[in-house]
Amino acid sequence: MTIMKVENDYSGTFSCPLCKQKSRFYAHQLLYSRSHTSFYSVDCNACAKHSLWKEFIQHHNGTFKVKLIDPITSSAPSPAEDMPEDVRKDFLEASLVSIYSSKAAAALLRLSLQKLCKHLGQPGKNINEDIRALAKEEGFSQRLVKAADTVRIIGNNAVHPGEMNDEDIDDVCHGLFQLVNLIVSTAITEPKKWNDLYDKAPESKRLAAEKQDAS
Ligand SMILES: [Zn+2]
């Protein structure tokens, strides 16, 4: 976030890491060490709780960028409701490390996708082959193939030198979490919902329709 100094006060609006609300804050400079690093205790106007931030870029217009130091929390989206347990574990780990490294998060999301392919009926050994097989399946739309390829390619290139620069990975990282969630909700949650609804239709009528389709 960005803090602005007005006379001796530091204030602005931010997304509070504790109450998750958009709110005004008031900051107090805590330390200006020999390494020319400032830390700020930031009070949220909405929840009255404090968070600790470190200054890392000063702009000429009197504003400066700060990074959250405490509490350790991530702005990454929460995992989709029906995300399988082993996929969710990697997804949450990616969320935690994304605070410090988008590269590490992208690589972990690729791993979570590889495990997800297994839940979608693929061997789970070679992620590219799994996605190519899913692309041939009815019900796995081109949109999902694109989402899966994006996570696969960026997750791979993020950890290979010279393929992508750090800033680009920072920019797309949040979107990769959303893509994994999209695949879970479209390939797992939606079909489950449709099946549940179908099962609520009178059984005799369903069986008659299925018999007609089969003939
Ligand atoms: Zn708050």
Side-chain angles (χ1 to χ4, degrees), residues 56-98:
F56 73 105
I57 297 176
Q58 281 228 21
H59 295 301
H60 295 299
N61 62 2
T63 63
F64 41 89
K65 287 214 173 228
V66 289
K67 261 190 182 168
L68 183 63
I69 304 290
D70 183 73
I72 297 173
T73 181
S74 163
S75 62
S78 304
E81 200 187 324
D82 290 310
M83 190 175 285
E85 204 42 52
D86 55 342
V87 181
R88 178 183 295 262
K89 203 167 161 265
D90 291 338
F91 187 98
L92 289 174
E93 198 174 325
S95 165
L96 198 62
V97 299
S98 69

Side-chain angles (χ1 to χ4, degrees), residues 16 19 44 47:
C16 175
C19 68
C44 169
C47 68

Side-chain angles (χ1 to χ4, degrees), residues 17-141:
L18 293 150
C19 68
K20 312 281 181 197
Q21 291 188 58
K22 280 231 174 287
S23 136
R24 265 204 89 64
F25 68 80
Y26 298 94
H28 315 279
Q29 193 178 34
L30 292 179
L31 181 76
Y32 191 70
S33 68
R34 245 185 272 170
S35 61
H36 296 275
T37 310
S38 289
F39 293 88
Y40 296 85
S41 169
V42 171
D43 298 345
C44 169
N45 217 20
C47 68
K49 288 182 180 157
H50 322 289
S51 48
L52 182 67
W53 301 71
K54 181 186 175 187
E55 178 183 313
F56 73 105
I57 297 176
Q58 281 228 21
H59 295 301
H60 295 299
N61 62 2
T63 63
F64 41 89
K65 287 214 173 228
V66 289
K67 261 190 182 168
L68 183 63
I69 304 290
D70 183 73
I72 297 173
T73 181
S74 163
S75 62
S78 304
E81 200 187 324
D82 290 310
M83 190 175 285
E85 204 42 52
D86 55 342
V87 181
R88 178 183 295 262
K89 203 167 161 265
D90 291 338
F91 187 98
L92 289 174
E93 198 174 325
S95 165
L96 198 62
V97 299
S98 69
I99 305 161
Y100 303 104
S101 166
S102 301
K103 267 187 274 190
L108 275 165
L109 285 173
R110 184 178 182 275
L111 180 65
S112 77
L113 176 65
Q114 190 161 359
K115 292 181 181 171
L116 182 57
C117 286
K118 228 172 157 175
H119 291 277
L120 300 176
Q122 301 307 314
K125 296 251 184 314
N126 180 314
I127 187 171
N128 187 31
E129 284 172 14
D130 286 354
I131 296 171
R132 303 285 68 83
L134 284 168
K136 289 192 189 109
E137 273 187 20
E138 206 185 317
F140 202 84
S141 70

Side-chain angles (χ1 to χ4, degrees), residues 4-16:
M4 184 162 202
K5 185 176 181 184
V6 181
E7 294 175 354
N8 279 326
D9 280 339
Y10 301 92
S11 63
T13 50
F14 78 149
S15 212
C16 175

